[in-house]
Amino acid sequence: MQRKCLLLCFLLIVPAAFAGTVTWADWNATGSNSVTGTLGGVGITYSGPYFFAQVNNAGIDYWNPQAPYLSATVSNAPDSQSVDIIAIGTGGQGETITFSSPVTNPILAVISVNGPGLYFSAPFNVLSDGCGYWGCGSLFMGAGNLLYSTGEGTGAILFPGTFTQITINEQGYENWRGFTVGLTTPEPASLVLLGSGLVGAFAYSRKRLGR
């Protein structure tokens, strides 16, 4: 019983401190109602209307400042790797982000979500928000998986689970709001810490039980 308690307590406490390095999408081609790219070793496609897309790491760094995108889960903002961005806001319905193979816990960095919100096809968690390129605002999840904000909502959200597609339905027209997609994995140091902690907890429990 003591061993189970030690291991359970350790697992509950330690992972909360694991910030991961995010691989952000490398958007590299635009088409009529589509933007394509790669996300690590996975292909990624946005399908639907959009105002503009910055691809191949060229354009204005709308992801600066980085602070709104950082959290206990995300250790690097999009502009630390790429200024790629897709700008939506036309009021489109059925806009989709499709992955060529299943991905786990995808992250969206968003900027300037104000006015009409965005309905997503799956629940999400707000990881962080704050003051970005266009101003300040908090992000919230409402009924029906609605992402909305007070002010210029800027930050990062995470979709728990495994996905091959995420759909967006916009509440209405808004000049533009931008997004990109990322995937995160624990830092190597965090994995070492987890392994060491588990070994230590197991050894301590054996000692306490006289084994």
Side-chain angles (χ1 to χ4, degrees), residues 82-95:
S82 169
V83 299
D84 290 358
I85 192 170
I86 298 176
I88 61 175
T90 65
Q93 302 291 296
E95 302 165 340

Side-chain angles (χ1 to χ4, degrees), residues 145-210:
N145 306 324
L146 173 67
L147 178 66
Y148 69 98
S149 72
T150 56
E152 294 283 350
T154 297
I157 64 175
L158 180 148
F159 294 88
T162 301
F163 298 87
T164 56
Q165 189 174 86
I166 296 171
T167 302
I168 306 169
N169 292 312
E170 301 187 50
Q171 271 191 318
Y173 178 92
E174 205 275 324
N175 191 20
W176 73 264
R177 69 278 303 278
F179 78 90
T180 193
V181 186
L183 295 177
T184 186
T185 55
E187 297 279 13
S190 298
L191 294 177
V192 172
L193 176 62
L194 176 59
S196 300
L198 288 174
V199 170
F202 180 75
Y204 177 77
S205 67
R206 286 178 62 87
K207 182 178 180 181
R208 287 290 299 268
L209 294 173

Side-chain angles (χ1 to χ4, degrees), residues 75-164:
S75 64
N76 59 305
D79 70 345
S80 63
Q81 294 182 14
S82 169
V83 299
D84 290 358
I85 192 170
I86 298 176
I88 61 175
T90 65
Q93 302 291 296
E95 302 165 340
T96 59
I97 301 166
T98 303
F99 307 99
S100 62
S101 59
V103 300
T104 301
N105 299 339
I107 294 169
L108 258 66
V110 297
I111 180 172
S112 191
V113 177
N114 62 0
L118 304 172
Y119 285 103
F120 291 97
S121 57
F124 56 86
N125 300 324
V126 175
L127 296 177
S128 59
D129 53 27
C131 297
Y133 188 91
W134 294 113
C136 302
S138 299
L139 296 172
F140 303 95
M141 186 178 79
N145 306 324
L146 173 67
L147 178 66
Y148 69 98
S149 72
T150 56
E152 294 283 350
T154 297
I157 64 175
L158 180 148
F159 294 88
T162 301
F163 298 87
T164 56

